[in-house]
Amino acid sequence: MTDEQKAAARAVIITAAGRRFRVDGMAGVGIDALAREAGQTSGAIYAHFTSKAAVFAAVVDAGLARLRAGMERCRAAGAGWARVFVRQYLSAQHRDQIAEGCLLPSLSADVARGDMDLRSAYAADLARAIDTLAEGCVGATEAERRQTAIALLALGAGGLLLSRAVPAGPLADEVLAAATAAAETVLGPAT
């Protein structure tokens, strides 16, 4: 197997495992289920990762990279792109696609229960996401822009989590709408 084939196989495993972890949580899925999701054998998983925790760490890293990539795609909207990001993030479509959605509302609690290496890697990746989003926020100082970015991510992840936790319907929609309105307030007037 070439290095490119190994990298492609690893990427398939990480993507498939990400879907399963987002839906079932870290404790809710084992290596055999991850292997089935990826169309692999358990042995193939272990050829790339030493443990389920190592797969989870790779999923977290990839998920935060996806979050930053989503921000970069929104940046193409020009001025006010952070508002575009928030509206997409707090959409019913994002809420309803848990397996494909952001890991912040789905896996942060699992990360919090993880070891210090996992939590430190998450912190570094989250800080990069905050820095990226802060570039799209308005504020007189870098500290103000970072504070806005942190508030937006907290509102987004929390709003999405609460909206997913209740049955689809009026309350779920109301939670998303309230989180979106609060985020709009944090962002300030549109320019």
Side-chain angles (χ1 to χ4, degrees), residues 110-134:
D110 286 325
V111 171
R113 289 186 285 272
D115 64 23
M116 191 53 68
D117 288 343
L118 175 65
R119 293 173 61 216
S120 294
Y122 176 92
D125 284 342
L126 181 61
R128 282 191 288 278
I130 290 165
D131 290 343
T132 300
L133 186 55

mmCIF file with all atom_site columns, all heavy atoms in Angstrom, residues 110-134:
data_model
loop_
_atom_site.group_PDB
_atom_site.id
_atom_site.type_symbol
_atom_site.label_atom_id
_atom_site.label_alt_id
_atom_site.label_comp_id
_atom_site.label_asym_id
_atom_site.label_entity_id
_atom_site.label_seq_id
_atom_site.pdbx_PDB_ins_code
_atom_site.Cartn_x
_atom_site.Cartn_y
_atom_site.Cartn_z
_atom_site.occupancy
_atom_site.B_iso_or_equiv
_atom_site.pdbx_formal_charge
_atom_site.auth_seq_id
_atom_site.auth_comp_id
_atom_site.auth_asym_id
_atom_site.auth_atom_id
_atom_site.pdbx_PDB_model_num
ATOM 1   N N   . ASP A 1 110 ? -17.584 14.839 25.608 1.00 0.00 ? 110 ASP A N   1
ATOM 2   C CA  . ASP A 1 110 ? -16.666 13.694 25.588 1.00 0.00 ? 110 ASP A CA  1
ATOM 3   C C   . ASP A 1 110 ? -15.214 14.158 25.707 1.00 0.00 ? 110 ASP A C   1
ATOM 4   O O   . ASP A 1 110 ? -14.404 13.518 26.371 1.00 0.00 ? 110 ASP A O   1
ATOM 5   C CB  . ASP A 1 110 ? -16.844 12.880 24.307 1.00 0.00 ? 110 ASP A CB  1
ATOM 6   C CG  . ASP A 1 110 ? -18.118 12.055 24.306 1.00 0.00 ? 110 ASP A CG  1
ATOM 7   O OD1 . ASP A 1 110 ? -18.511 11.564 25.378 1.00 0.00 ? 110 ASP A OD1 1
ATOM 8   O OD2 . ASP A 1 110 ? -18.705 11.890 23.229 1.00 0.00 ? 110 ASP A OD2 1
ATOM 9   N N   . VAL A 1 111 ? -14.898 15.271 25.064 1.00 0.00 ? 111 VAL A N   1
ATOM 10  C CA  . VAL A 1 111 ? -13.546 15.821 25.182 1.00 0.00 ? 111 VAL A CA  1
ATOM 11  C C   . VAL A 1 111 ? -13.284 16.220 26.626 1.00 0.00 ? 111 VAL A C   1
ATOM 12  O O   . VAL A 1 111 ? -12.205 15.945 27.165 1.00 0.00 ? 111 VAL A O   1
ATOM 13  C CB  . VAL A 1 111 ? -13.343 17.022 24.234 1.00 0.00 ? 111 VAL A CB  1
ATOM 14  C CG1 . VAL A 1 111 ? -12.023 17.734 24.514 1.00 0.00 ? 111 VAL A CG1 1
ATOM 15  C CG2 . VAL A 1 111 ? -13.406 16.576 22.775 1.00 0.00 ? 111 VAL A CG2 1
ATOM 16  N N   . ALA A 1 112 ? -14.254 16.842 27.261 1.00 0.00 ? 112 ALA A N   1
ATOM 17  C CA  . ALA A 1 112 ? -14.088 17.271 28.657 1.00 0.00 ? 112 ALA A CA  1
ATOM 18  C C   . ALA A 1 112 ? -13.791 16.093 29.582 1.00 0.00 ? 112 ALA A C   1
ATOM 19  O O   . ALA A 1 112 ? -13.110 16.255 30.604 1.00 0.00 ? 112 ALA A O   1
ATOM 20  C CB  . ALA A 1 112 ? -15.335 18.013 29.137 1.00 0.00 ? 112 ALA A CB  1
ATOM 21  N N   . ARG A 1 113 ? -14.272 14.909 29.230 1.00 0.00 ? 113 ARG A N   1
ATOM 22  C CA  . ARG A 1 113 ? -14.004 13.710 30.026 1.00 0.00 ? 113 ARG A CA  1
ATOM 23  C C   . ARG A 1 113 ? -12.711 13.015 29.602 1.00 0.00 ? 113 ARG A C   1
ATOM 24  O O   . ARG A 1 113 ? -12.310 12.029 30.202 1.00 0.00 ? 113 ARG A O   1
ATOM 25  C CB  . ARG A 1 113 ? -15.172 12.728 29.896 1.00 0.00 ? 113 ARG A CB  1
ATOM 26  C CG  . ARG A 1 113 ? -16.436 13.201 30.615 1.00 0.00 ? 113 ARG A CG  1
ATOM 27  C CD  . ARG A 1 113 ? -17.527 12.141 30.577 1.00 0.00 ? 113 ARG A CD  1
ATOM 28  N NE  . ARG A 1 113 ? -18.162 12.034 29.276 1.00 0.00 ? 113 ARG A NE  1
ATOM 29  C CZ  . ARG A 1 113 ? -19.203 12.754 28.872 1.00 0.00 ? 113 ARG A CZ  1
ATOM 30  N NH1 . ARG A 1 113 ? -19.737 13.644 29.679 1.00 0.00 ? 113 ARG A NH1 1
ATOM 31  N NH2 . ARG A 1 113 ? -19.728 12.572 27.683 1.00 0.00 ? 113 ARG A NH2 1
ATOM 32  N N   . GLY A 1 114 ? -12.060 13.537 28.565 1.00 0.00 ? 114 GLY A N   1
ATOM 33  C CA  . GLY A 1 114 ? -10.851 12.920 28.035 1.00 0.00 ? 114 GLY A CA  1
ATOM 34  C C   . GLY A 1 114 ? -9.622  13.252 28.858 1.00 0.00 ? 114 GLY A C   1
ATOM 35  O O   . GLY A 1 114 ? -9.664  14.026 29.825 1.00 0.00 ? 114 GLY A O   1
ATOM 36  N N   . ASP A 1 115 ? -8.505  12.685 28.435 1.00 0.00 ? 115 ASP A N   1
ATOM 37  C CA  . ASP A 1 115 ? -7.252  12.928 29.147 1.00 0.00 ? 115 ASP A CA  1
ATOM 38  C C   . ASP A 1 115 ? -6.698  14.312 28.798 1.00 0.00 ? 115 ASP A C   1
ATOM 39  O O   . ASP A 1 115 ? -7.205  15.013 27.917 1.00 0.00 ? 115 ASP A O   1
ATOM 40  C CB  . ASP A 1 115 ? -6.235  11.815 28.868 1.00 0.00 ? 115 ASP A CB  1
ATOM 41  C CG  . ASP A 1 115 ? -5.788  11.727 27.416 1.00 0.00 ? 115 ASP A CG  1
ATOM 42  O OD1 . ASP A 1 115 ? -5.881  12.729 26.670 1.00 0.00 ? 115 ASP A OD1 1
ATOM 43  O OD2 . ASP A 1 115 ? -5.326  10.643 27.023 1.00 0.00 ? 115 ASP A OD2 1
ATOM 44  N N   . MET A 1 116 ? -5.647  14.693 29.506 1.00 0.00 ? 116 MET A N   1
ATOM 45  C CA  . MET A 1 116 ? -5.092  16.038 29.336 1.00 0.00 ? 116 MET A CA  1
ATOM 46  C C   . MET A 1 116 ? -4.520  16.251 27.934 1.00 0.00 ? 116 MET A C   1
ATOM 47  O O   . MET A 1 116 ? -4.621  17.357 27.387 1.00 0.00 ? 116 MET A O   1
ATOM 48  C CB  . MET A 1 116 ? -4.015  16.310 30.389 1.00 0.00 ? 116 MET A CB  1
ATOM 49  C CG  . MET A 1 116 ? -3.585  17.763 30.441 1.00 0.00 ? 116 MET A CG  1
ATOM 50  S SD  . MET A 1 116 ? -4.940  18.969 30.624 1.00 0.00 ? 116 MET A SD  1
ATOM 51  C CE  . MET A 1 116 ? -5.507  18.608 32.271 1.00 0.00 ? 116 MET A CE  1
ATOM 52  N N   . ASP A 1 117 ? -3.966  15.230 27.310 1.00 0.00 ? 117 ASP A N   1
ATOM 53  C CA  . ASP A 1 117 ? -3.449  15.385 25.943 1.00 0.00 ? 117 ASP A CA  1
ATOM 54  C C   . ASP A 1 117 ? -4.576  15.744 24.983 1.00 0.00 ? 117 ASP A C   1
ATOM 55  O O   . ASP A 1 117 ? -4.427  16.648 24.152 1.00 0.00 ? 117 ASP A O   1
ATOM 56  C CB  . ASP A 1 117 ? -2.750  14.106 25.477 1.00 0.00 ? 117 ASP A CB  1
ATOM 57  C CG  . ASP A 1 117 ? -1.412  13.874 26.158 1.00 0.00 ? 117 ASP A CG  1
ATOM 58  O OD1 . ASP A 1 117 ? -0.854  14.829 26.741 1.00 0.00 ? 117 ASP A OD1 1
ATOM 59  O OD2 . ASP A 1 117 ? -0.922  12.734 26.108 1.00 0.00 ? 117 ASP A OD2 1
ATOM 60  N N   . LEU A 1 118 ? -5.700  15.033 25.079 1.00 0.00 ? 118 LEU A N   1
ATOM 61  C CA  . LEU A 1 118 ? -6.841  15.317 24.215 1.00 0.00 ? 118 LEU A CA  1
ATOM 62  C C   . LEU A 1 118 ? -7.357  16.727 24.474 1.00 0.00 ? 118 LEU A C   1
ATOM 63  O O   . LEU A 1 118 ? -7.595  17.494 23.531 1.00 0.00 ? 118 LEU A O   1
ATOM 64  C CB  . LEU A 1 118 ? -7.955  14.293 24.438 1.00 0.00 ? 118 LEU A CB  1
ATOM 65  C CG  . LEU A 1 118 ? -9.251  14.537 23.686 1.00 0.00 ? 118 LEU A CG  1
ATOM 66  C CD1 . LEU A 1 118 ? -9.035  14.432 22.178 1.00 0.00 ? 118 LEU A CD1 1
ATOM 67  C CD2 . LEU A 1 118 ? -10.326 13.557 24.138 1.00 0.00 ? 118 LEU A CD2 1
ATOM 68  N N   . ARG A 1 119 ? -7.521  17.066 25.727 1.00 0.00 ? 119 ARG A N   1
ATOM 69  C CA  . ARG A 1 119 ? -8.066  18.385 26.071 1.00 0.00 ? 119 ARG A CA  1
ATOM 70  C C   . ARG A 1 119 ? -7.131  19.508 25.638 1.00 0.00 ? 119 ARG A C   1
ATOM 71  O O   . ARG A 1 119 ? -7.577  20.556 25.172 1.00 0.00 ? 119 ARG A O   1
ATOM 72  C CB  . ARG A 1 119 ? -8.375  18.444 27.559 1.00 0.00 ? 119 ARG A CB  1
ATOM 73  C CG  . ARG A 1 119 ? -9.539  17.482 27.900 1.00 0.00 ? 119 ARG A CG  1
ATOM 74  C CD  . ARG A 1 119 ? -9.810  17.343 29.371 1.00 0.00 ? 119 ARG A CD  1
ATOM 75  N NE  . ARG A 1 119 ? -10.184 18.618 29.932 1.00 0.00 ? 119 ARG A NE  1
ATOM 76  C CZ  . ARG A 1 119 ? -9.838  19.019 31.160 1.00 0.00 ? 119 ARG A CZ  1
ATOM 77  N NH1 . ARG A 1 119 ? -9.137  18.238 31.945 1.00 0.00 ? 119 ARG A NH1 1
ATOM 78  N NH2 . ARG A 1 119 ? -10.220 20.196 31.604 1.00 0.00 ? 119 ARG A NH2 1
ATOM 79  N N   . SER A 1 120 ? -5.827  19.280 25.748 1.00 0.00 ? 120 SER A N   1
ATOM 80  C CA  . SER A 1 120 ? -4.852  20.296 25.320 1.00 0.00 ? 120 SER A CA  1
ATOM 81  C C   . SER A 1 120 ? -4.870  20.473 23.804 1.00 0.00 ? 120 SER A C   1
ATOM 82  O O   . SER A 1 120 ? -4.802  21.605 23.306 1.00 0.00 ? 120 SER A O   1
ATOM 83  C CB  . SER A 1 120 ? -3.451  19.912 25.794 1.00 0.00 ? 120 SER A CB  1
ATOM 84  O OG  . SER A 1 120 ? -3.380  19.950 27.203 1.00 0.00 ? 120 SER A OG  1
ATOM 85  N N   . ALA A 1 121 ? -4.955  19.374 23.065 1.00 0.00 ? 121 ALA A N   1
ATOM 86  C CA  . ALA A 1 121 ? -5.029  19.462 21.605 1.00 0.00 ? 121 ALA A CA  1
ATOM 87  C C   . ALA A 1 121 ? -6.321  20.173 21.183 1.00 0.00 ? 121 ALA A C   1
ATOM 88  O O   . ALA A 1 121 ? -6.303  21.020 20.276 1.00 0.00 ? 121 ALA A O   1
ATOM 89  C CB  . ALA A 1 121 ? -4.950  18.070 20.986 1.00 0.00 ? 121 ALA A CB  1
ATOM 90  N N   . TYR A 1 122 ? -7.422  19.839 21.846 1.00 0.00 ? 122 TYR A N   1
ATOM 91  C CA  . TYR A 1 122 ? -8.707  20.495 21.578 1.00 0.00 ? 122 TYR A CA  1
ATOM 92  C C   . TYR A 1 122 ? -8.578  21.993 21.842 1.00 0.00 ? 122 TYR A C   1
ATOM 93  O O   . TYR A 1 122 ? -9.024  22.818 21.033 1.00 0.00 ? 122 TYR A O   1
ATOM 94  C CB  . TYR A 1 122 ? -9.772  19.862 22.462 1.00 0.00 ? 122 TYR A CB  1
ATOM 95  C CG  . TYR A 1 122 ? -11.153 20.471 22.398 1.00 0.00 ? 122 TYR A CG  1
ATOM 96  C CD1 . TYR A 1 122 ? -12.102 19.980 21.521 1.00 0.00 ? 122 TYR A CD1 1
ATOM 97  C CD2 . TYR A 1 122 ? -11.529 21.496 23.261 1.00 0.00 ? 122 TYR A CD2 1
ATOM 98  C CE1 . TYR A 1 122 ? -13.390 20.501 21.483 1.00 0.00 ? 122 TYR A CE1 1
ATOM 99  C CE2 . TYR A 1 122 ? -12.802 22.030 23.236 1.00 0.00 ? 122 TYR A CE2 1
ATOM 100 C CZ  . TYR A 1 122 ? -13.733 21.528 22.348 1.00 0.00 ? 122 TYR A CZ  1
ATOM 101 O OH  . TYR A 1 122 ? -14.997 22.053 22.320 1.00 0.00 ? 122 TYR A OH  1
ATOM 102 N N   . ALA A 1 123 ? -7.960  22.348 22.951 1.00 0.00 ? 123 ALA A N   1
ATOM 103 C CA  . ALA A 1 123 ? -7.808  23.762 23.307 1.00 0.00 ? 123 ALA A CA  1
ATOM 104 C C   . ALA A 1 123 ? -7.015  24.507 22.240 1.00 0.00 ? 123 ALA A C   1
ATOM 105 O O   . ALA A 1 123 ? -7.380  25.629 21.851 1.00 0.00 ? 123 ALA A O   1
ATOM 106 C CB  . ALA A 1 123 ? -7.138  23.903 24.671 1.00 0.00 ? 123 ALA A CB  1
ATOM 107 N N   . ALA A 1 124 ? -5.944  23.909 21.767 1.00 0.00 ? 124 ALA A N   1
ATOM 108 C CA  . ALA A 1 124 ? -5.128  24.563 20.733 1.00 0.00 ? 124 ALA A CA  1
ATOM 109 C C   . ALA A 1 124 ? -5.929  24.730 19.445 1.00 0.00 ? 124 ALA A C   1
ATOM 110 O O   . ALA A 1 124 ? -5.890  25.802 18.811 1.00 0.00 ? 124 ALA A O   1
ATOM 111 C CB  . ALA A 1 124 ? -3.858  23.751 20.484 1.00 0.00 ? 124 ALA A CB  1
ATOM 112 N N   . ASP A 1 125 ? -6.659  23.700 19.037 1.00 0.00 ? 125 ASP A N   1
ATOM 113 C CA  . ASP A 1 125 ? -7.475  23.784 17.822 1.00 0.00 ? 125 ASP A CA  1
ATOM 114 C C   . ASP A 1 125 ? -8.630  24.767 17.989 1.00 0.00 ? 125 ASP A C   1
ATOM 115 O O   . ASP A 1 125 ? -8.959  25.517 17.062 1.00 0.00 ? 125 ASP A O   1
ATOM 116 C CB  . ASP A 1 125 ? -8.017  22.409 17.436 1.00 0.00 ? 125 ASP A CB  1
ATOM 117 C CG  . ASP A 1 125 ? -6.974  21.506 16.805 1.00 0.00 ? 125 ASP A CG  1
ATOM 118 O OD1 . ASP A 1 125 ? -5.925  22.013 16.352 1.00 0.00 ? 125 ASP A OD1 1
ATOM 119 O OD2 . ASP A 1 125 ? -7.211  20.289 16.759 1.00 0.00 ? 125 ASP A OD2 1
ATOM 120 N N   . LEU A 1 126 ? -9.255  24.773 19.161 1.00 0.00 ? 126 LEU A N   1
ATOM 121 C CA  . LEU A 1 126 ? -10.338 25.712 19.417 1.00 0.00 ? 126 LEU A CA  1
ATOM 122 C C   . LEU A 1 126 ? -9.818  27.145 19.393 1.00 0.00 ? 126 LEU A C   1
ATOM 123 O O   . LEU A 1 126 ? -10.471 28.042 18.843 1.00 0.00 ? 126 LEU A O   1
ATOM 124 C CB  . LEU A 1 126 ? -11.015 25.406 20.756 1.00 0.00 ? 126 LEU A CB  1
ATOM 125 C CG  . LEU A 1 126 ? -12.194 26.305 21.133 1.00 0.00 ? 126 LEU A CG  1
ATOM 126 C CD1 . LEU A 1 126 ? -13.319 26.194 20.106 1.00 0.00 ? 126 LEU A CD1 1
ATOM 127 C CD2 . LEU A 1 126 ? -12.706 25.951 22.528 1.00 0.00 ? 126 LEU A CD2 1
ATOM 128 N N   . ALA A 1 127 ? -8.633  27.373 19.950 1.00 0.00 ? 127 ALA A N   1
ATOM 129 C CA  . ALA A 1 127 ? -8.040  28.713 19.933 1.00 0.00 ? 127 ALA A CA  1
ATOM 130 C C   . ALA A 1 127 ? -7.815  29.181 18.495 1.00 0.00 ? 127 ALA A C   1
ATOM 131 O O   . ALA A 1 127 ? -8.051  30.356 18.175 1.00 0.00 ? 127 ALA A O   1
ATOM 132 C CB  . ALA A 1 127 ? -6.733  28.730 20.721 1.00 0.00 ? 127 ALA A CB  1
ATOM 133 N N   . ARG A 1 128 ? -7.392  28.274 17.612 1.00 0.00 ? 128 ARG A N   1
ATOM 134 C CA  . ARG A 1 128 ? -7.219  28.639 16.205 1.00 0.00 ? 128 ARG A CA  1
ATOM 135 C C   . ARG A 1 128 ? -8.564  28.990 15.567 1.00 0.00 ? 128 ARG A C   1
ATOM 136 O O   . ARG A 1 128 ? -8.662  29.924 14.768 1.00 0.00 ? 128 ARG A O   1
ATOM 137 C CB  . ARG A 1 128 ? -6.529  27.515 15.436 1.00 0.00 ? 128 ARG A CB  1
ATOM 138 C CG  . ARG A 1 128 ? -5.022  27.468 15.684 1.00 0.00 ? 128 ARG A CG  1
ATOM 139 C CD  . ARG A 1 128 ? -4.295  26.541 14.728 1.00 0.00 ? 128 ARG A CD  1
ATOM 140 N NE  . ARG A 1 128 ? -4.529  25.123 14.984 1.00 0.00 ? 128 ARG A NE  1
ATOM 141 C CZ  . ARG A 1 128 ? -3.894  24.408 15.906 1.00 0.00 ? 128 ARG A CZ  1
ATOM 142 N NH1 . ARG A 1 128 ? -2.994  24.973 16.676 1.00 0.00 ? 128 ARG A NH1 1
ATOM 143 N NH2 . ARG A 1 128 ? -4.162  23.135 16.064 1.00 0.00 ? 128 ARG A NH2 1
ATOM 144 N N   . ALA A 1 129 ? -9.611  28.243 15.911 1.00 0.00 ? 129 ALA A N   1
ATOM 145 C CA  . ALA A 1 129 ? -10.945 28.550 15.381 1.00 0.00 ? 129 ALA A CA  1
ATOM 146 C C   . ALA A 1 129 ? -11.416 29.909 15.891 1.00 0.00 ? 129 ALA A C   1
ATOM 147 O O   . ALA A 1 129 ? -11.997 30.699 15.126 1.00 0.00 ? 129 ALA A O   1
ATOM 148 C CB  . ALA A 1 129 ? -11.931 27.452 15.767 1.00 0.00 ? 129 ALA A CB  1
ATOM 149 N N   . ILE A 1 130 ? -11.162 30.191 17.148 1.00 0.00 ? 130 ILE A N   1
ATOM 150 C CA  . ILE A 1 130 ? -11.530 31.496 17.710 1.00 0.00 ? 130 ILE A CA  1
ATOM 151 C C   . ILE A 1 130 ? -10.801 32.607 16.970 1.00 0.00 ? 130 ILE A C   1
ATOM 152 O O   . ILE A 1 130 ? -11.398 33.617 16.588 1.00 0.00 ? 130 ILE A O   1
ATOM 153 C CB  . ILE A 1 130 ? -11.231 31.532 19.227 1.00 0.00 ? 130 ILE A CB  1
ATOM 154 C CG1 . ILE A 1 130 ? -12.210 30.623 19.979 1.00 0.00 ? 130 ILE A CG1 1
ATOM 155 C CG2 . ILE A 1 130 ? -11.280 32.962 19.766 1.00 0.00 ? 130 ILE A CG2 1
ATOM 156 C CD1 . ILE A 1 130 ? -11.790 30.308 21.409 1.00 0.00 ? 130 ILE A CD1 1
ATOM 157 N N   . ASP A 1 131 ? -9.498  32.421 16.752 1.00 0.00 ? 131 ASP A N   1
ATOM 158 C CA  . ASP A 1 131 ? -8.716  33.431 16.027 1.00 0.00 ? 131 ASP A CA  1
ATOM 159 C C   . ASP A 1 131 ? -9.260  33.655 14.629 1.00 0.00 ? 131 ASP A C   1
ATOM 160 O O   . ASP A 1 131 ? -9.352  34.800 14.159 1.00 0.00 ? 131 ASP A O   1
ATOM 161 C CB  . ASP A 1 131 ? -7.250  33.021 15.952 1.00 0.00 ? 131 ASP A CB  1
ATOM 162 C CG  . ASP A 1 131 ? -6.539  33.092 17.297 1.00 0.00 ? 131 ASP A CG  1
ATOM 163 O OD1 . ASP A 1 131 ? -7.055  33.748 18.228 1.00 0.00 ? 131 ASP A OD1 1
ATOM 164 O OD2 . ASP A 1 131 ? -5.455  32.469 17.419 1.00 0.00 ? 131 ASP A OD2 1
ATOM 165 N N   . THR A 1 132 ? -9.629  32.571 13.945 1.00 0.00 ? 132 THR A N   1
ATOM 166 C CA  . THR A 1 132 ? -10.171 32.696 12.588 1.00 0.00 ? 132 THR A CA  1
ATOM 167 C C   . THR A 1 132 ? -11.477 33.475 12.608 1.00 0.00 ? 132 THR A C   1
ATOM 168 O O   . THR A 1 132 ? -11.659 34.417 11.827 1.00 0.00 ? 132 THR A O   1
ATOM 169 C CB  . THR A 1 132 ? -10.382 31.303 11.963 1.00 0.00 ? 132 THR A CB  1
ATOM 170 O OG1 . THR A 1 132 ? -9.119  30.625 11.902 1.00 0.00 ? 132 THR A OG1 1
ATOM 171 C CG2 . THR A 1 132 ? -10.976 31.401 10.568 1.00 0.00 ? 132 THR A CG2 1
ATOM 172 N N   . LEU A 1 133 ? -12.389 33.103 13.501 1.00 0.00 ? 133 LEU A N   1
ATOM 173 C CA  . LEU A 1 133 ? -13.672 33.797 13.570 1.00 0.00 ? 133 LEU A CA  1
ATOM 174 C C   . LEU A 1 133 ? -13.494 35.246 14.009 1.00 0.00 ? 133 LEU A C   1
ATOM 175 O O   . LEU A 1 133 ? -14.194 36.140 13.510 1.00 0.00 ? 133 LEU A O   1
ATOM 176 C CB  . LEU A 1 133 ? -14.637 33.058 14.501 1.00 0.00 ? 133 LEU A CB  1
ATOM 177 C CG  . LEU A 1 133 ? -16.063 33.581 14.568 1.00 0.00 ? 133 LEU A CG  1
ATOM 178 C CD1 . LEU A 1 133 ? -16.708 33.656 13.182 1.00 0.00 ? 133 LEU A CD1 1
ATOM 179 C CD2 . LEU A 1 133 ? -16.900 32.704 15.494 1.00 0.00 ? 133 LEU A CD2 1
ATOM 180 N N   . ALA A 1 134 ? -12.557 35.498 14.897 1.00 0.00 ? 134 ALA A N   1
ATOM 181 C CA  . ALA A 1 134 ? -12.314 36.865 15.370 1.00 0.00 ? 134 ALA A CA  1
ATOM 182 C C   . ALA A 1 134 ? -11.942 37.794 14.221 1.00 0.00 ? 134 ALA A C   1
ATOM 183 O O   . ALA A 1 134 ? -12.251 38.992 14.260 1.00 0.00 ? 134 ALA A O   1
ATOM 184 C CB  . ALA A 1 134 ? -11.220 36.873 16.434 1.00 0.00 ? 134 ALA A CB  1
#
